[in-house]
Amino acid sequence: MAEEKLSFQAEVSKLLDIVVHSLYSHKEIFLRELISNASDACDRLRYAALTQPELLAGGGEFRITITPDKTARSLTIADNGIGMNRSDLVDNLGTIARSGTANFVNQLSGDAKQDVALIGQFGVGFYSAFMIASKVEVVTRKAGEEQGWRWVSDGRGDFTVGEEPAAERGAKITLYLRDGEDDYLDGQRLQRIVKTYSDHIALPVVLVEDGKEEKVNSASALWTRSKSELTAEQYTEFYHHVAHAFDDPWLTCHYKAEGAIEYTGLLFIPSQKPFDIFHPDRKQHVKLYVKRVFITDDCADLLPPYLRFVRGVVDSQDLPLNISHEMLQHNPLLAKIRSGLIKRILAELKKKAEGDAGDYPAFWDNFGAVLKEGLYEDFERRDEILELCRFRTTISDQPISLATYVGRMKEGQDAVYMITGDEPEALKKSPQLEGFVAKGIEVLLLTDPIDEFWPNAIGKYTDKPFRSVAQGAAELSSIKAAEGSEQPQGEAAAGDEVEALIAAFKAALADEVKDVRISERLTESAVCLVADEGDVSLHLERLLRQHQQAKTRAPRVLEVNPRHGLIRRLAAEAKRDGAGERLADAARLLLDQARIIEGEVLPDPTAFARRLSAVLERGV
Ligand code: ADP
């Protein structure tokens, strides 16, 4: 096949443009990225060779070489790993395949500063070579195949792919340096960079200079070394490598499980939220090794989705080396490792949550919404997870635990009160909260979509049921008000008048609401909408509608505040003759008003506007 010229996928071009024109203060990280890829390529071949030893023809000693060439002003990074064939080259180096990444790149603004911060979250991998190279050449042959290939690009929109008969197994990546980048030809400089960023790479990284070879890294799997000989920097660099991340780990947990089942875990929790944490695939991200051989980075059974923010490696002593992906499913040994890992991670989180480092809120902010999925999905551990949860409330902007909440419940209060919505600030203004706020009763402000699901699934915290303040009846009268808190002011309308008003409202709104009731929870607003006991919440219905999952609207209950001036006036009218039409108008206006407060779209905005104008006109 002759050499062919192909174009990069549009997203790659955009990424390359950003890489070349702005970017990192630390250009030297290109070397870490290329060494990291080379090491992954060797890991993959080592695993494939467990079942197909013939793939190792030509040598099973894996290594990575770095060769500067001062005459040609080029730097070559070569590995004898799995290599790439023509379609691998086109797919891997011409497009962005990683899930969500293409989408992500499309969101980049073109504003260098902002974009660099964002890109920092996922790295640019292979393409970082173009930071220092004006041309990159990849010569490669895939293990088990005869034909080799040459890929060349100047990073400006196209690349070429052609046959290369002399290619050896693996990949040889040559960077032709830009002007002013000659530093990267200096052996000592290269050694320092490898030591700094890639010392943990588990195979030898060898510098080849003037025909002499020198191994420059320690070349032992980092997690097999003892904690005491590792520094925080080494852990951080390893985290960057396994997680393809650029931030510092928020948590590093390195341990050896011994006993019935033996494995080593080196786990990290990022300090920044990965951009794809809510990707629908909900994949976990811990890599599985068996006796130091990489097995897979795609083992769904290793960790549950609600711990998908965890990064790192697990190395098992007990699983068989030649284990296939199929054998990993429902494997009892793996199930034991999984529960060991979950236990360990939850225990580490508990330590952080109860410790006094003060950094737990940062974790909660990033990953609380993910961890809460466990409340819904991991029945066995939900009490443990619940203890780790933190909530903003009507009283506290600092998220608090449920234990704290219960500790300050009011006399006579026997439920944990909550309200769900999109934004804490908007939620705080909800009319449904008025009576609770007036009595000084604390209410949890729940703003993650998952919050619509777990309280029902769990039912209670210790013996205290979860109750939505926007649902069912409010049992406020039995709860004693906090010392000094405001009590509802003003006279209520007379009982028989309110009853007549409610009857008139019911008649006018018969098709639109399930019921009209006197409210216990309102102190300032005239009306509000609540969901009846057992109905879906208004917020959930809105979420479902946004995702085209619900078309109909459940009829709601309209609550009326008998102490409100307007309601008192209307109630006084209710028993007079001929008030019917005006009360019906008022009922419809008040219902629409309650819908607006809920953030609902009015079913008939024109009718609302016409009615409002007519009533105003009469009043003026
Ligand atoms: P990432 O490594 O994050 O997936 P890269 O842009 O660095 O992204 O690399 C893209 C893909 O190209 C890799 O996933 C891998 O499949 C392939 N690749 C890169 N370098 C090599 C190499 N040295 N040997 C074999 N395949 C490689």
Side-chain angles (χ1 to χ4, degrees):
M1 200 187 287
E3 184 178 283
E4 258 189 287
K5 191 167 185 161
L6 295 155
S7 297
F8 286 116
Q9 180 194 22
E11 287 78 11
V12 175
S13 291
K14 190 162 172 184
L15 192 62
L16 278 168
D17 203 51
I18 296 169
V19 166
V20 174
H21 288 109
S22 46
L23 269 213
Y24 302 110
S25 42
H26 296 337
K27 286 186 188 169
E28 64 201 33
I29 59 100
F30 82 88
L31 192 55
R32 156 180 81 192
E33 298 294 303
L34 297 183
I35 291 176
S36 189
N37 282 346
S39 146
D40 288 349
C42 294
D43 274 352
R44 270 184 285 152
L45 177 54
R46 187 186 282 137
Y47 177 63
L50 292 174
T51 45
Q52 292 169 270
E54 67 280 8
L55 290 180
L56 291 181
E61 293 283 320
F62 292 106
R63 61 187 222 141
I64 300 168
T65 59
I66 303 177
T67 314
D69 179 338
K70 292 199 166 96
T71 331
R73 294 190 61 253
S74 71
L75 179 66
T76 300
I77 293 97
D79 66 70
N80 53 354
I82 192 125
M84 287 178 271
N85 59 23
R86 187 183 178 283
S87 71
D88 292 337
L89 279 169
V90 173
D91 291 349
N92 295 334
L93 305 185
T95 63
I96 302 180
R98 232 193 306 160
S99 64
T101 309
N103 247 341
F104 173 74
V105 171
N106 276 325
Q107 286 166 18
L108 295 177
S109 61
D111 170 356
K113 262 211 189 110
Q114 266 182 18
D115 289 347
V116 171
L118 277 173
I119 283 188
Q121 294 179 26
F122 79 116
V124 287
F126 172 79
Y127 304 112
S128 61
F130 288 100
M131 291 193 286
I132 58 139
S134 53
K135 183 171 94 174
V136 176
E137 188 180 270
V138 180
V139 170
T140 174
R141 183 165 61 79
K142 191 162 185 167
E145 297 185 12
E146 293 287 311
Q147 184 62 59
W149 301 92
R150 176 187 299 269
W151 177 104
V152 186
S153 177
D154 62 4
R156 287 201 223 127
D158 330 295
F159 57 91
T160 57
V161 192
E163 292 180 356
E164 172 53 66
E168 293 175 35
R169 185 193 83 208
K172 197 168 94 185
I173 297 169
T174 301
L175 317 186
Y176 293 91
L177 302 182
R178 291 179 190 279
D179 288 343
E181 304 292 359
D182 292 39
D183 257 13
Y184 298 109
L185 298 172
D186 176 42
Q188 288 193 344
R189 175 87 204 273
L190 292 167
Q191 286 208 14
R192 266 202 313 274
I193 302 176
V194 174
K195 267 279 168 210
T196 310
Y197 298 108
S198 309
D199 191 51
H200 57 78
I201 292 291
L203 32 135
V205 178
V206 176
L207 181 67
V208 185
E209 232 184 345
D210 309 322
K212 284 196 298 276
E213 297 197 347
E214 190 181 351
K215 187 178 86 151
V216 282
N217 67 330
S218 333
S220 67
L222 185 98
W223 61 90
T224 60
R225 293 158 65 179
S226 83
K227 266 184 173 169
S228 56
E229 60 175 86
L230 292 168
T231 63
E233 287 72 29
Q234 285 173 307
Y235 278 124
T236 300
E237 281 312 325
F238 183 72
Y239 161 71
H240 289 165
H241 166 65
V242 279
H244 289 273
F246 280 55
D247 57 337
D248 284 350
W250 174 81
L251 176 93
T252 301
C253 169
H254 185 187
Y255 73 105
K256 223 174 151 144
E258 274 160 348
I261 177 130
E262 269 184 49
Y263 65 90
T264 302
L266 176 47
L267 307 173
F268 301 95
I269 296 178
S271 57
Q272 277 185 16
K273 181 155 51 179
F275 67 93
D276 56 356
I277 193 80
F278 288 108
H279 191 277
D281 67 17
R282 300 171 78 227
K283 265 193 187 149
Q284 74 85 17
H285 287 280
V286 172
K287 297 185 181 185
L288 178 66
Y289 283 70
V290 172
K291 300 182 190 80
R292 265 171 284 165
V293 176
F294 169 76
I295 303 293
T296 174
D297 52 8
D298 190 16
C299 177
D301 288 344
L302 195 55
L303 274 184
Y306 71 87
L307 295 178
R308 63 185 178 275
F309 48 81
V310 178
R311 302 289 188 267
V313 303
V314 167
D315 188 351
S316 157
Q317 282 300 319
D318 310 303
L319 288 166
L321 256 177
N322 59 355
I323 194 160
S324 66
H325 283 218
E326 294 71 39
M327 280 161 69
L328 280 172
Q329 281 174 10
H330 314 295
N331 182 300
L333 275 175
L334 191 67
K336 284 204 182 114
I337 296 178
R338 172 190 169 104
S339 52
L341 288 172
I342 299 176
K343 196 164 152 200
R344 183 69 188 219
I345 294 164
L346 295 182
E348 291 290 327
L349 287 176
K350 185 168 173 194
K351 248 193 270 169
K352 284 278 205 181
E354 291 170 0
D356 38 29
D359 55 355
Y360 192 70
F363 161 80
W364 186 255
D365 215 39
N366 284 331
F367 302 119
V370 179
L371 187 66
K372 277 189 284 187
E373 293 171 14
L375 293 172
Y376 188 67
E377 292 174 354
D378 194 342
F379 191 80
E380 217 180 298
R381 298 184 186 84
R382 65 187 193 188
D383 291 340
E384 222 174 314
I385 298 171
L386 205 49
E387 296 290 355
L388 295 172
C389 292
R390 295 292 179 272
F391 304 95
R392 292 185 66 176
T393 75
T394 44
I395 295 178
S396 172
D397 277 338
Q398 283 307 316
I400 62 162
S401 68
L402 286 172
T404 305
Y405 178 94
V406 169
R408 54 199 201 202
M409 275 173 38
K410 295 279 158 308
E411 205 183 314
Q413 178 182 351
D414 55 10
V416 175
Y417 288 106
M418 51 175 214
I419 184 165
T420 56
D422 296 327
E423 284 287 330
E425 287 315 312
L427 266 186
K428 277 189 190 167
K429 296 181 195 139
S430 301
Q432 292 91 340
L433 284 174
E434 290 170 2
F436 293 84
V437 172
K439 278 201 157 179
I441 300 166
E442 189 165 23
V443 178
L444 308 182
L445 305 173
L446 304 183
T447 49
D448 292 315
I450 188 75
D451 292 329
E452 288 292 346
F453 302 98
W454 63 262
N456 271 341
I458 291 189
K460 18 175 115 162
Y461 169 68
T462 61
D463 60 339
K464 313 275 185 285
F466 291 102
R467 307 235 343 124
S468 164
V469 302
Q471 187 137 25
E475 333 88 335
L476 275 166
S477 53
S478 52
I479 304 175
K480 202 163 164 250
E483 206 71 42
S485 64
E486 291 165 45
Q487 279 309 291
Q489 302 286 317
E491 276 296 292
D496 56 336
E497 290 175 358
V498 177
E499 263 166 43
L501 180 69
I502 283 183
F505 274 20
K506 275 189 191 166
L509 305 177
D511 294 338
E512 307 202 48
V513 300
K514 199 166 181 179
D515 199 3
V516 181
R517 287 182 205 149
I518 295 180
S519 183
E520 245 196 272
R521 71 193 98 212
L522 292 175
T523 60
E524 284 158 41
S525 304
V527 290
C528 72
L529 282 175
V530 299
D532 208 1
E533 204 73 62
D535 281 352
V536 328
S537 80
L538 282 86
H539 178 242
L540 176 57
E541 191 178 81
R542 219 159 38 242
L543 284 179
L544 293 175
R545 223 178 299 128
Q546 275 162 17
H547 293 93
Q548 269 82 43
Q549 303 249 0
K551 301 226 162 42
T552 53
R553 290 162 194 262
R556 301 302 176 183
V557 175
L558 182 70
E559 289 200 349
V560 175
N561 176 6
R563 286 187 182 78
H564 192 276
L566 174 62
I567 301 297
R568 291 215 313 260
R569 299 266 300 265
L570 289 170
E573 293 246 316
K575 288 172 83 179
R576 283 192 208 137
D577 287 342
E581 198 50 35
R582 262 189 294 163
L583 288 182
D585 269 349
R588 291 202 187 91
L589 279 173
L590 285 169
L591 173 62
D592 281 346
Q593 179 190 310
R595 284 173 172 149
I596 290 171
I597 293 172
E598 284 308 315
E600 301 274 310
V601 177
L602 295 186
D604 188 350
T606 324
F608 169 72
R610 208 178 289 136
R611 207 169 281 129
L612 182 61
S613 301
V615 169
L616 283 174
E617 195 184 333
R618 258 182 271 149
V620 173

